[in-house]
Amino acid sequence: MEIGCGRGNFLKKMQQKGIDCIGLEVNENTVLYGQSNKLKILNESIQNHAKKNYQKYNIVCAFQVIEHI
């Protein structure tokens, strides 16, 4: 899972390698863009997603996110 995945560039690379992945993004337009490119991107906060998906992921990353918080 990638937190703050933007347009899904990292997700796309992972998908091309056969890795099942999902992204979280709060910008609706960006989510729609990624979804139109067949990427699994959800418009959901990490807090809400974590409550419903406790211990679901093997790896969680957040590139260039902390500086925006």
Side-chain angles (χ1 to χ4, degrees):
M1 179 179 67
E2 182 182 6
I3 300 167
C5 66
R7 299 180 94 183
N9 294 331
F10 180 72
L11 296 177
K12 187 175 183 177
K13 288 181 182 184
M14 294 298 101
Q15 238 181 22
Q16 289 170 344
K17 294 180 179 288
I19 298 170
D20 185 29
C21 53
I22 189 169
L24 299 180
E25 178 58 52
V26 294
N27 182 309
E28 272 188 58
N29 291 330
T30 305
V31 171
L32 292 173
Y33 175 85
Q35 290 174 345
S36 72
N37 285 291
K38 301 189 182 351
L39 298 173
K40 295 180 194 174
I41 300 178
L42 303 176
N43 185 354
E44 189 173 21
S45 72
I46 183 62
Q47 294 88 344
N48 290 335
H49 191 78
K51 288 176 189 175
K52 296 182 279 183
N53 295 279
Y54 182 70
Q55 293 187 344
K56 179 178 180 177
Y57 302 102
N58 294 326
I59 299 172
V60 177
C61 58
F63 303 108
Q64 301 176 350
V65 172
I66 300 300
E67 65 269 22
H68 296 285
I69 298 175

